[in-house]
């Protein structure tokens, strides 16, 4: 993500929807409790649980967090069973929680996230694969870890845009992370996310972009009215004999068309 670290809280952003401040405060206070509950799980029973139990707990914890934030999830389609590389557009830090509420996955994230207070411990326990962007060769290491995870039957998720966008359209897809599915080999599961609220077909409250800090973004989400995320799970793509660039271009085209349709439906 390109947005700021947790401590950055622009005053202008925090003032958004100020008349809904009591609702936002109530929601966020409950979110804090839920995050602390997640930490208790991580430090106590998490390591002793099998993969199936962890998956159920991840779905339940993620869905509960979204509900506490006032966000409704509408899902279309079914995920491919077993190993898959989830490829999604990227709008917000919410995207990770949304995807985990439907199909728990190991995400690829910049290494700095692992150092964030509280959140870093949670995402590390979830099996996040951390990429040191400053090291050019580190991408090869992470690709190897991704391919091995896919061979082991796990679900891995990436955001090929490489950063967050406003949600109106897809940005350029980087093809390098798609290589892991070809190396495994494992099917690719395209997922298209779109956020809307009571006043906007594309909600500005969900977009985690520019100089917006994490706390300011959480405030905007918690103070939004009728915030809804549409999760479109497209049919899985086979990767046999695939060229990663051509495959990535096809994914971008198909996902762009689905995003446009979702926004049109929200405008109707």
């Amino acid at each position: 993500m390109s947005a700021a670290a947790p401590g950055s809280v622009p005053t202008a952003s925090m003032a958004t929807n100020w008349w809904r401040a009591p609702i936002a405060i109530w929601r966020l206070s409950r979110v804090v409790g839920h995050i602390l509950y997640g930490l208790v799980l991580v430090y106590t029973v998490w390591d002793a649980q099998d993969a199936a139990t962890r998956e159920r707990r991840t779905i339940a914890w993620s869905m509960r967090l979204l509900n506490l934030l006032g966000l409704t999830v509408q899902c279309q389609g079914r995920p491919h069973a077993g190993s898959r590389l989830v490829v999604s557009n990227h709008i917000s830090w919410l995207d990770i929680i949304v995807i985990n509420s439907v199909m728990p996955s190991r995400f690829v994230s910049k290494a700095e996230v692992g150092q964030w207070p509280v959140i870093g411990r949670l995402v590390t326990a979830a099996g996040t694969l951390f990429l040191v962007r400053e090291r050019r060769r580190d991408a090869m290491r992470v690709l190897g870890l991704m391919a091995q995870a896919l061979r082991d039957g796990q679900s891995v998720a990436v955001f090929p845009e490489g950063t967050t966008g406003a949600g109106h359209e897809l940005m350029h897809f980087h093809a390098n992370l798609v290589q892991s599915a070809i190396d495994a080999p494992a099917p690719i599961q395209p997922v298209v996310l779109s956020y809307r609220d009571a006043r906007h077909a594309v909600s500005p409250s969900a977009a985690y972009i520019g100089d917006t800090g994490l706390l300011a973004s959480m405030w905007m989400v918690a103070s939004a009215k009728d915030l809804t995320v549409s999760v479109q799970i497209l049919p899985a793509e086979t990767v046999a004999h695939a060229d990663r660039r051509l495959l990535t271009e096809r994914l971008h085209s198909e996902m762009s068309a689905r995003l446009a349709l979702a926004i049109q439906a929200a405008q109707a």
Side-chain angles (χ1 to χ4, degrees):
M1 298 180 185
S2 62
S8 176
V9 189
T11 304
S13 296
M14 292 292 284
T16 301
N17 291 347
W18 62 267
W19 60 89
R20 291 179 60 82
I23 294 174
I25 292 170
W26 169 243
R27 286 174 173 171
L28 291 175
S29 65
R30 299 175 74 195
V31 164
V32 169
H34 189 62
I35 291 174
L36 292 177
Y37 168 66
L39 280 177
V40 170
L41 291 179
V42 166
Y43 283 109
T44 56
V45 301
W46 194 254
D47 290 340
Q49 294 176 333
D50 58 29
T53 302
R54 286 186 180 185
E55 181 167 307
R56 288 195 299 270
R57 282 189 177 273
T58 298
I59 291 173
W61 187 89
S62 301
M63 185 58 74
R64 178 60 175 164
L65 181 59
L66 295 172
N67 289 339
L68 291 175
L69 284 168
L71 193 143
T72 300
V73 179
Q74 295 181 346
C75 186
Q76 298 176 341
R78 295 177 63 86
H80 174 82
S83 175
R84 69 221 162 194
L85 178 67
V86 178
V87 174
S88 172
N89 59 318
H90 201 12
I91 301 165
S92 171
W93 53 271
L94 285 168
D95 302 341
I96 296 174
I97 305 168
V98 169
I99 292 173
N100 273 338
S101 74
V102 178
M103 54 180 110
S105 304
R106 299 184 68 181
F107 285 82
V108 176
S109 176
K110 61 183 181 182
E112 302 95 287
V113 175
Q115 304 303 316
W116 287 3
V118 182
I119 295 173
R121 184 67 184 91
L122 289 174
V123 299
T124 299
T128 300
L129 301 170
F130 294 111
L131 172 65
V132 182
R133 293 181 176 179
E134 294 76 16
R135 300 177 186 171
R136 298 186 63 180
R137 293 186 178 181
D138 202 50
M140 296 301 296
R141 177 188 66 85
V142 173
L143 278 174
L145 293 175
M146 292 170 62
Q148 187 58 55
L150 292 170
R151 293 188 197 102
D152 293 340
Q154 299 175 19
S155 179
V156 179
V158 296
F159 300 111
E161 290 166 298
T163 187
T164 50
H168 295 273
E169 59 186 9
L170 269 62
M171 296 177 288
H172 171 72
F173 275 12
H174 299 280
N176 53 348
L177 293 179
V178 174
Q179 185 66 44
S180 61
I182 297 173
D183 292 342
I188 291 179
Q189 181 76 79
V191 174
V192 178
L193 305 177
S194 56
Y195 296 83
R196 66 180 187 273
D197 59 37
R199 297 193 300 163
H200 307 91
V202 178
S203 177
S205 297
Y208 186 45
I209 55 177
D211 295 328
T212 303
L214 181 59
L215 295 181
S217 178
M218 291 181 68
W219 177 269
M220 290 189 291
V221 168
S223 60
K225 182 178 181 181
D226 298 334
L227 185 60
T228 300
V229 57
S230 167
V231 184
Q232 297 186 72
I233 304 174
L234 279 58
E237 297 267 356
T238 59
V239 298
H241 311 296
D243 175 271
R244 71 178 185 184
R245 296 193 182 279
L246 293 177
L247 176 58
T248 302
E249 289 174 3
R250 186 169 75 248
L251 288 170
H252 188 279
S253 178
E254 294 173 353
M255 293 170 65
S256 292
R258 286 297 191 97
L259 178 61
L261 288 174
I263 293 174
Q264 290 176 12
Q267 292 171 335

